Amino acid sequence: MLGKHQVGGKMCKVTIVIPVYNTGLYLKRAIESCLIQTLRDIEIIIVNDGSTDNSLEIAKEYESYDDRVKVVSTENRGLSEARNTGLELAKGKYVYFLDSDDWIEAEAIEQCYNHAAKNNLDLVLFDSKVSVEELREFSKEINLDAYKRDHIIDNPYTVMSGRQFVELYADKRGTLLPAWLVFADRKFLTDNYLRFLPGAYYEDVAFHFSCMMAAERIMYIPRAFHTRTYRDGSIMTSGLSVRKVCSIYEITKELYSSLTMYGKEHDHLWTNYLIRLTRNLYRTVLGNVTRKDIETCRPYSAEILRLQKEAVILYYKVLSLTGEKPGIIRRTLEFIEEVVTPFGWISEEIINIAREVVSKRDKIIYKIFGSLPLNEEKKKIGIYGSGKHAEYILRKYKEMLGDIKADLVFIDTYKKSFHDKFYNYDIINIDDLKTVDISEIIILSYLYEDEMYNNIVSRYGNKYKIHKIYNGDKEPIDSGNYLKIYNRLNRYYSFGRKRIILMYTPLHTNIGDHMIAEASFKFFAGYLPDYEVSEITSKQYANYRDAVVYQTNVDDIVVITGGGFIGSLWPSGQYVYEIVKDFPDNKIVILPQTMYFNENEEGERHKKLANEIFNKHRDLSICWREEISLSRSREYIGENVKCYLMPDMALTLNYSHEQRQREGILLCLRSDREGLLSDIQKRAIKEYFLNKGEIVNESCMRWDVPIKQEHRDEVIKSKINEIKSHKLVITDTLHCMISCAISGTPCIAIDNISSKVKGVYSTWLKDIKYIRFVSSYEDIFSIYYDSWEELHKKNYYTKNYEEYLKRLANIIKGER
């Protein structure tokens, strides 16, 4: 310990406030990190917030030998009140708030003070390291770099306002919220009435928001001066409580109160930042509500529903401050869905709010249309935009306000003037506007509104009065997305929550995976019609994982798409493990899959992962599409996980009803890690059929570009038609063999590295005469093709998997 250092009660350079509640195990480290600061002219105010352990004794011991330490005891009123008490007693020109289980570097306070004093700063911002203790109660993954932003902020040591800082770095996740990352001018705090919201958790969110709005001079230092401790029993690692839930709504109200207090309610930057902070807070706190959490909060459901209603009203109010736009209707409904999802409770009051919000959409559109100069006779108006969207807008205008009386001319960026017409009006190129007598232009585009505006202004300056009907709103007037959300909410309210989330569907080029997705949706429609089905693509899960988890209720059924990626062969296998871990309380069903592990170190690692993660889940069912994978599952995962043999979902499709003339041979052979054939063997197959006088074409089961959901059906049919046009297909690709089966196309199949081709053939297709399997490519040369009857006739796919699909539906519903 250091010798006694006397300062007394006089003014000092910096006050460090340490709120303490039952942190005796960590308090010495926190206090001593303050006492060894290279800046000696400091005071340390320790606010004992009604601790029941030895925290007060520890604090008093330090107070007894160093006059810089001052201990104040209060009844237990929470972290916010303890910080506020410390701030009221502070004598320092600057103030820093340190949590009692964390610590700071020796030069932290001096560095911050020097920059603040030299540059007359309101706030100094810096970063933090993370220290993780053994956690028994906290299972979420901890990001060790969560409080570092030196890779984000590209202009450190620069003086800027809080507004500039938020404008530059909010979208890049550079605006970290904790109070222990802020070194503040005490006068700045007191003059702006900056305090922590009493009695609430997550008080740093509101404090940060107010500080950013008020600050004129801040600076970021790219140094991790602070270390944050993750430990059992802390506010952040302890379980969800009613007080935490209520605090979310209280903080939301506090944010809005601060917005109006600082007169920023009409500043779009701050209203949008408030919306961002609100949604992030909800997702952080309610990101993974468990069944236990729901039961803990159920006795207080009436109070929580009341607060949810207030939060929704406030959210809509804030959105409306950004201007009356159709997009605020959808965004409000999205927020309502996010609010009600974690607990699955939805009140009549909230449904009534949703109904009222939806009713306002046409009023907003009517007001937008009423501001347009389309009802003035003999006036010529330019309309920039001449596609389907513009056509809808003009039709909607006539429905709401009657016939258009103005004379119109349509403007186009690329078309030649007076060569085409739209709605029987002339189309003129934007470069020829001077040839027509117009004074006003209406832009009818939501995607290219700014680009079109700039096209006009860059050519003609302020010559024309320009009407932008969207003004940055990205919700097209003809969008029906808001109605989908509204209808979902109504179903939840009327019939309860019956929702399936089909997870990790493809957007890539592999047509086979899209066939699985297409078949899955047809299965849901046919066998589970009472369930709403939401799709989360692989890209959505990877990019918005936290949001996906937050928007999933524990009663939602998570269904992972089928395929061949469980194991170590493809990177997608890792995401299956992550999904299973992300939804520990949900029923999870994995649609028919193949399991394969490479015989190497990575394969062994994946075996252990699969065993550990799958066995740990409370309600996991896995469907395997061949006996081989089912056998591997029993060996590597064991008997505890519920496993079933089910056909590949694509086998439930049927494209054999329409037959066509077939000719030539199609080779569909792999060139990736799953293929077993060498280039020499592939050439041998091709030459064999060429020598027999056949036309030989080559193809694969991949599309030229990534396949969007809305194009799945079209792409699948295109590939099926290509396959059906050949009298014989040679393939080592599973879904090419399946495509042949379901289209009635003769096929010779060769196995691949995971044995899934052989497995699916043996389990499901071996009785189909127009599908043959060979163990070696050389067997292709010994087949007597003239006697293969199915090569020369129409074949129809007659397999019926009704029994299996009913069983799969029962597995998903939890019935046996």
Side-chain angles (χ1 to χ4, degrees):
M1 290 188 177
L2 302 174
K4 191 170 178 82
H5 183 92
Q6 296 185 356
V7 171
K10 64 180 182 180
M11 296 291 292
C12 60
K13 291 180 177 178
V14 179
T15 297
I16 302 174
V17 177
I18 308 178
V20 178
Y21 178 72
N22 289 350
T23 51
L25 290 175
Y26 310 94
L27 185 55
K28 286 185 179 181
R29 183 178 62 190
I31 296 172
E32 290 186 5
S33 76
C34 298
L35 293 177
I36 64 169
Q37 289 298 305
T38 54
L39 181 68
R40 307 294 291 167
D41 188 10
I42 63 174
E43 68 170 346
I44 303 161
I45 298 178
I46 302 172
V47 182
N48 174 48
D49 187 36
S51 297
T52 57
D53 66 353
N54 64 338
S55 296
L56 179 59
E57 289 76 10
I58 293 170
K60 286 285 189 182
E61 181 182 357
Y62 281 97
E63 183 184 42
S64 69
Y65 74 81
D66 196 316
D67 284 347
R68 294 180 298 172
V69 179
K70 181 177 182 180
V71 179
V72 179
S73 282
T74 66
E75 61 183 17
N76 182 234
R77 295 182 297 177
L79 177 62
S80 292
E81 288 279 37
R83 285 175 173 170
N84 291 339
T85 298
L87 179 58
E88 289 169 8
L89 298 172
K91 297 286 196 303
K93 177 172 173 52
Y94 297 94
V95 178
Y96 175 66
F97 300 97
L98 176 67
D99 284 358
S100 57
D101 50 359
D102 298 339
W103 72 93
I104 51 176
E105 301 298 315
E107 73 276 19
I109 298 301
E110 183 172 19
Q111 289 282 333
C112 291
Y113 174 82
N114 288 343
H115 285 290
K118 179 180 178 181
N119 296 284
N120 191 29
L121 301 177
D122 299 322
L123 304 171
V124 178
L125 312 179
F126 48 87
D127 292 344
S128 176
K129 298 186 285 291
V130 169
S131 173
V132 182
E133 306 218 337
E134 183 178 350
L135 296 171
R136 297 179 299 277
E137 304 168 5
F138 189 73
S139 58
K140 292 183 181 179
E141 187 175 325
I142 296 171
N143 179 4
L144 299 180
D145 294 321
Y147 302 105
K148 292 183 180 178
R149 49 192 159 172
D150 52 350
H151 60 294
I152 295 172
I153 298 175
D154 49 15
N155 57 348
Y157 302 107
T158 302
V159 178
M160 63 182 83
S161 67
R163 190 181 202 285
Q164 290 171 319
F165 191 78
V166 168
E167 191 170 22
L168 285 172
Y169 299 115
D171 287 342
K172 301 176 182 178
R173 299 187 178 182
T175 53
L176 301 180
L177 310 182
W180 30 262
L181 294 180
V182 178
F183 181 89
D185 183 303
R186 182 165 63 89
K187 188 173 186 299
F188 163 75
L189 296 180
T190 54
D191 286 355
N192 288 284
Y193 307 101
L194 291 166
R195 297 292 186 275
F196 295 92
L197 183 64
Y201 288 103
Y202 321 116
E203 64 290 328
D204 287 1
V205 179
F207 181 74
H208 161 86
F209 185 60
S210 296
C211 282
M212 288 294 108
M213 283 193 293
E216 294 296 331
R217 298 181 64 79
I218 68 174
M219 178 185 288
Y220 164 71
I221 301 174
R223 295 279 303 277
F225 286 138
H226 174 273
T227 299
R228 191 237 172 125
T229 303
Y230 275 90
R231 62 176 178 85
D232 280 335
S234 71
I235 291 173
M236 296 309 295
T237 61
S238 57
L240 193 66
S241 65
V242 175
R243 182 84 286 275
K244 285 186 175 182
V245 174
C246 293
S247 291
I248 301 171
Y249 307 114
E250 291 165 10
I251 293 296
T252 301
K253 289 190 284 187
E254 181 69 9
L255 291 172
Y256 182 74
S257 176
S258 297
L259 184 78
T260 55
M261 185 181 81
Y262 286 102
K264 306 291 187 182
E265 61 267 33
H266 299 295
D267 187 327
H268 289 187
L269 178 125
W270 294 114
T271 53
N272 286 329
Y273 193 46
L274 185 155
I275 290 165
R276 174 194 293 271
L277 292 175
T278 299
R279 294 186 75 167
N280 286 347
L281 178 61
Y282 277 70
R283 291 176 180 181
T284 300
V285 181
L286 302 177
N288 206 340
V289 173
T290 65
R291 295 182 189 279
K292 181 181 177 183
D293 294 332
I294 293 173
E295 292 311 311
T296 298
C297 295
R298 194 177 297 280
Y300 309 92
S301 59
E303 175 65 8
I304 291 172
L305 286 169
R306 182 187 67 79
L307 291 170
Q308 286 179 345
K309 181 196 75 172
E310 291 180 4
V312 168
I313 293 171
L314 196 59
Y315 192 84
Y316 178 73
K317 194 172 183 179
V318 173
L319 279 177
S320 299
L321 293 173
T322 66
E324 288 193 312
K325 304 171 185 178
I328 70 173
I329 306 302
R330 174 188 51 78
R331 291 173 71 186
T332 301
L333 293 172
E334 284 177 343
F335 183 69
I336 292 174
E337 191 169 35
E338 287 194 14
V339 164
V340 303
T341 289
F343 294 104
W345 307 331
I346 183 165
S347 67
E348 183 179 0
E349 289 177 307
I350 287 181
I351 277 296
N352 288 336
I353 293 170
R355 192 172 294 123
E356 183 182 348
V357 167
V358 168
S359 71
K360 291 182 179 180
R361 193 172 190 271
D362 272 354
K363 294 176 184 177
I364 292 172
I365 294 171
Y366 185 91
K367 188 174 181 180
I368 292 170
F369 285 169
S371 68
L372 303 178
L374 294 175
N375 63 345
E376 300 179 35
E377 293 186 15
K378 298 181 181 180
K379 187 166 187 176
K380 202 173 189 71
I381 303 295
I383 305 290
Y384 200 170
S386 55
K388 289 183 178 180
H389 182 63
E391 185 178 346
Y392 174 86
I393 298 246
L394 295 176
R395 188 169 65 247
K396 185 74 173 176
Y397 180 92
K398 288 181 180 181
E399 288 175 8
M400 287 185 149
L401 278 80
D403 289 339
I404 294 171
K405 297 176 183 178
D407 185 19
L408 307 182
V409 60
F410 284 86
I411 303 166
D412 194 276
T413 308
Y414 305 104
K415 290 181 179 179
K416 291 182 179 180
S417 296
F418 306 109
H419 275 235
D420 293 299
K421 286 184 178 289
F422 185 75
Y423 257 59
N424 292 321
Y425 294 105
D426 288 327
I427 296 179
I428 187 170
N429 187 277
I430 190 170
D431 291 322
D432 298 328
L433 288 188
K434 290 181 180 178
T435 64
V436 291
D437 183 22
I438 60 172
S439 58
E440 298 185 52
I441 297 173
I442 302 170
I443 298 176
L444 296 187
S445 174
Y446 63 97
L447 282 178
Y448 306 108
E449 187 177 65
D450 289 339
E451 182 181 331
M452 289 175 160
Y453 179 85
N454 291 332
N455 282 345
I456 300 167
V457 173
S458 64
R459 288 168 171 83
Y460 303 104
N462 297 322
K463 180 177 180 179
Y464 302 106
K465 183 178 180 180
I466 302 172
H467 301 268
K468 295 162 64 173
I469 67 170
Y470 285 105
N471 284 305
D473 189 17
K474 297 304 180 185
E475 175 83 359
I477 288 174
D478 57 346
S479 172
N481 288 335
Y482 76 100
L483 268 181
K484 292 179 182 177
I485 304 169
Y486 177 64
N487 290 336
R488 273 202 304 270
L489 291 169
N490 266 316
R491 282 199 300 273
Y492 294 162
Y493 177 69
S494 301
F495 306 111
R497 194 177 183 93
K498 296 181 74 174
R499 183 180 181 219
I500 291 169
I501 303 173
L502 182 59
M503 197 78 72
Y504 214 71
T505 56
L507 286 175
H508 51 58
T509 61
N510 187 323
I511 298 171
D513 288 341
H514 288 274
M515 291 172 66
I516 291 171
E518 185 77 5
S520 299
F521 281 108
K522 289 184 177 180
F523 160 71
F524 295 137
Y527 290 84
L528 295 161
D530 295 337
Y531 285 79
E532 176 217 339
V533 180
S534 301
E535 179 179 9
I536 301 296
T537 66
S538 54
K539 185 176 181 180
Q540 287 172 323
Y541 178 74
N543 293 346
Y544 307 106
R545 182 173 168 184
D546 289 345
V548 170
V549 173
Y550 171 66
Q551 292 170 12
T552 303
N553 180 268
V554 291
D555 289 325
D556 294 338
I557 301 169
V558 175
V559 177
I560 302 175
T561 189
F565 49 80
I566 290 185
S568 59
L569 191 58
W570 295 104
S572 308
Q574 187 68 35
Y575 282 104
V576 176
Y577 307 145
E578 298 301 331
I579 292 169
V580 173
K581 288 193 296 183
D582 277 347
F583 302 98
D585 263 14
N586 290 78
K587 179 177 186 58
I588 297 180
V589 178
I590 302 178
L591 293 182
Q593 277 275 356
T594 291
M595 171 184 278
Y596 177 78
F597 298 102
N598 298 92
E599 294 183 4
N600 56 24
E601 187 177 330
E602 182 67 4
E604 291 301 316
R605 185 180 74 85
H606 274 267
K607 285 179 189 176
K608 291 177 182 177
L609 269 177
N611 182 291
E612 176 187 340
I613 293 168
F614 290 165
N615 276 287
K616 191 175 181 180
H617 196 275
R618 59 178 291 276
D619 192 0
L620 172 66
S621 298
I622 308 177
C623 301
W624 303 109
R625 60 188 177 185
E626 352 87 18
E627 293 278 7
I628 298 170
S629 290
L630 183 61
S631 176
R632 288 170 180 157
S633 172
R634 288 170 179 155
E635 179 182 354
Y636 302 135
I637 299 175
E639 301 287 346
N640 292 331
V641 176
K642 292 168 284 188
C643 292
Y644 307 89
L645 186 66
M646 290 283 168
D648 185 291
M649 297 306 293
L651 284 169
T652 66
L653 300 171
N654 193 338
Y655 294 95
S656 68
H657 305 298
E658 294 182 9
Q659 294 289 326
R660 57 177 61 195
Q661 186 68 33
R662 300 197 301 263
E663 61 179 5
I665 310 297
L666 180 66
L667 303 184
C668 185
L669 301 172
R670 306 191 76 115
S671 57
D672 59 17
R673 68 185 73 176
E674 288 196 40
L676 293 174
L677 294 176
S678 68
D679 289 341
I680 294 173
Q681 291 168 336
K682 292 175 189 176
R683 281 197 299 272
I685 296 171
K686 182 176 182 179
E687 289 169 4
Y688 172 76
F689 286 105
L690 287 173
N691 291 336
K692 289 175 68 69
E694 297 285 358
I695 298 171
V696 179
N697 296 314
E698 297 180 64
S699 187
C700 68
M701 288 298 289
R702 292 194 175 273
W703 202 241
D704 296 334
V705 294
I707 304 166
K708 296 180 179 179
Q709 297 108 301
E710 61 266 29
H711 298 151
R712 269 187 200 137
D713 182 56
E714 177 187 350
V715 169
I716 292 167
K717 287 178 178 175
S718 176
K719 178 54 67 173
I720 291 288
N721 287 334
E722 178 193 5
I723 288 170
K724 286 169 68 170
S725 67
H726 292 82
K727 68 178 181 182
L728 177 63
V729 176
I730 314 293
T731 188
D732 59 355
T733 305
L734 175 61
H735 281 94
C736 183
M737 177 181 73
I738 290 176
S739 296
C740 291
I742 63 180
S743 66
T745 306
C747 170
I748 298 173
I750 310 165
D751 210 3
N752 72 342
I753 193 170
S754 66
S755 300
K756 64 185 179 184
V757 178
K758 178 182 178 181
V760 169
Y761 173 82
S762 301
T763 310
W764 309 107
L765 301 178
K766 63 183 179 183
D767 58 338
I768 298 180
K769 293 182 179 180
Y770 56 87
I771 306 292
R772 295 190 179 185
F773 179 83
V774 295
S775 299
S776 166
Y777 84 99
E778 293 171 330
D779 294 341
I780 294 171
F781 310 144
S782 59
I783 293 175
Y784 190 55
Y785 293 95
D786 290 340
S787 65
W788 188 356
E789 184 180 342
E790 285 71 27
L791 278 177
H792 313 289
K793 65 178 233 183
K794 293 180 179 179
N795 304 300
Y796 296 95
Y797 185 59
T798 59
K799 300 286 285 188
N800 187 329
Y801 297 107
E802 180 87 7
E803 177 187 343
Y804 288 97
L805 295 179
K806 284 182 177 178
R807 189 181 184 195
L808 179 57
N810 287 336
I811 292 167
I812 291 172
K813 289 188 290 185
E815 299 173 1
R816 291 291 180 266

